């Protein structure tokens, strides 16, 4: 049975059960769910597509040796320079993992490449613009997100210099980018990132809509009323939802029951530690790396974001 047969079967089922389906869709909760889901998707998809396209352009057409030449030779100085490079490199975390792997392969110190991996999805212009659009009445969220994310990236880079071991990292390779023409490599990168990031965006939007509809308001309010509990809850939610960084601000904005600090933690933790990133890091760099790097990043990101929220929000 192919896709045409499956589509035909679904259409027949819809025709047969159109009356009960129509009645179910008239339920106010379903209408609310649909409104939240569609609004998140409509706002987020343009940023996602633009970010994926630019990330593919940079991954394919910018020489990989450029970053090794542009960064300072001293590893401790290369870490903040690589973190700052994320400001001018649009792209989501799905693209930053293979790019960071390419940087390591081209001779960039792992500490700088890892700092870039964490900073690029969180502080690039597309993500910061999306955050400004999602929080039009709170422009300080843009500054707080950028500052907190840069600090986390630099701390993790310096921690790797101090405690990291080369044998924890397995040298990565993206055959679809290495062994094809530039045109084919570009579209391969676009398809890869759109499939992964777009799929997780849909799941994240569905989860956010479900939280707004299914979870009783008093439960959310109980979490929101406890400052530390709300911070931990949204940090864990960011890990589970695995949203693309170009879209997570719109989901955070929909969680209006929570404080700005809690939502800032959501925005800082998500692009650095989530389920898809842990699996991607394990596949690209090895499980020994991912199972050490991800938990440490989670703790550092939570503490730094909470501190930045307290000071800046």
């Amino acid at each position: 049975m192919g896709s045409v047969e499956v589509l035909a079967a679904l259409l027949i089922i819809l025709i047969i059960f159109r009356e009960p389906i129509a009645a179910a869709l008239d339920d106010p909760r379903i209408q609310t769910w649909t409104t939240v889901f569609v609004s998140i998707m409509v706002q987020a998809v343009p940023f996602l597509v633009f970010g994926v396209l630019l990330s593919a352009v940079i991954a394919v057409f910018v020489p990989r040796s450029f970053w090794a030449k542009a960064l300072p030779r001293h590893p401790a100085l290369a870490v903040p320079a690589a973190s700052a490079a994320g400001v001018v490199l649009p792209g989501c975390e799905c693209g930053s993992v293979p790019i960071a792997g390419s940087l390591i392969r081209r001779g960039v110190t792992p500490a700088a490449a890892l700092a870039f991996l964490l900073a690029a999805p969180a502080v690039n212009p597309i993500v910061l613009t999306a955050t400004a659009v999602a929080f039009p009445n709170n422009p300080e969220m843009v500054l707080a997100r950028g500052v907190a994310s840069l600090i986390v990236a630099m701390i993790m880079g310096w921690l790797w210099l101090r405690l990291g071991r080369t044998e924890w990292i397995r040298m990565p390779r993206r055959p679809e980018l290495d062994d094809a023409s530039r045109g084919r490599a570009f579209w391969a990168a676009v398809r890869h990132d759109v499939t992964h990031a777009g799929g997780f965006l849909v799941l994240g939007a569905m989860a956010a809509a479900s939280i707004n509809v299914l979870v009783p308001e008093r439960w959310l309010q109980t979490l929101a009323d406890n400052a530390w509990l709300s911070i931990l809850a949204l940090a864990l939610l960011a890990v589970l939802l695995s949203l693309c960084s170009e879209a997570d601000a719109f989901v955070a904005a929909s969680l209006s029951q929570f404080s700005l600090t809690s939502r800032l933690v959501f925005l800082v933790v998500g692009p650095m530690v989530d389920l898809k990133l842990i699996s991607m890091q394990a596949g690209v760099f090895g499980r020994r790396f991912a199972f050490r790097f991800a938990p440490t990043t989670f703790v550092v990101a939570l503490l730094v974001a909470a501190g930045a929220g307290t000071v800046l929000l």
Side-chain angles (χ1 to χ4, degrees), residues 239 272-283 286 290-291 294-295:
V239 175
M272 298 184 176
V273 188
D274 61 33
L275 295 180
K276 74 175 185 299
L277 272 178
I278 295 172
S279 62
M280 289 179 68
Q281 290 173 3
F291 294 158

Side-chain angles (χ1 to χ4, degrees), residues 86-137:
V87 176
V88 296
L89 180 59
C92 67
E93 58 270 30
C94 300
S96 67
V97 174
I99 293 174
S102 296
L103 293 177
I104 294 175
R105 219 173 20 154
R106 288 296 184 179
V108 175
T109 177
L114 296 176
F116 171 83
L117 182 152
L118 296 177
V123 300
N124 70 70
I126 294 177
V127 170
L128 297 181
T129 301
T131 305
V133 173
F135 292 89
N137 299 320

Side-chain angles (χ1 to χ4, degrees), residues 172-185:
R173 188 169 185 264
R174 282 282 297 271
E176 71 273 21
L177 299 184
D178 292 341
D179 302 331
S181 66
R182 287 189 173 185
R184 290 183 179 181

Side-chain angles (χ1 to χ4, degrees), residues 4 26 57 74 84 86 124 147 230 251 254 306 313:
V4 175
D26 286 336
V57 168
H74 195 288
N124 70 70
V147 170
S230 65
V251 176
S254 71
L313 300 179

Side-chain angles (χ1 to χ4, degrees), residues 219-238 255 257-266 302 306:
W219 291 10
L220 291 177
Q221 198 59 51
T222 300
L223 285 174
D225 289 341
N226 187 311
W228 288 107
L229 190 59
S230 65
I231 288 173
L232 181 60
L234 287 195
L236 294 174
L237 184 64
L255 301 173
Q257 302 90 343
F258 293 87
S259 67
L260 288 176
T261 298
S262 300
R263 287 182 280 176
L264 175 64
V265 171
F266 179 90
L302 189 153

Side-chain angles (χ1 to χ4, degrees), residues 4 6 10 13 48 56 69 103 111 122 128 151 155 159 162 166 168 184 223 228 240 247-248 251 254 257 262 292 308:
V4 175
V6 172
L10 289 175
I13 292 173
L48 173 64
K69 296 177 181 177
L103 293 177
L128 297 181
I151 292 174
I155 289 175
L159 279 178
R162 180 72 176 175
T166 305
W168 291 347
R184 290 183 179 181
L223 285 174
W228 288 107
L240 296 176
D248 58 1
V251 176
S254 71
Q257 302 90 343
S262 300
R292 291 171 172 83

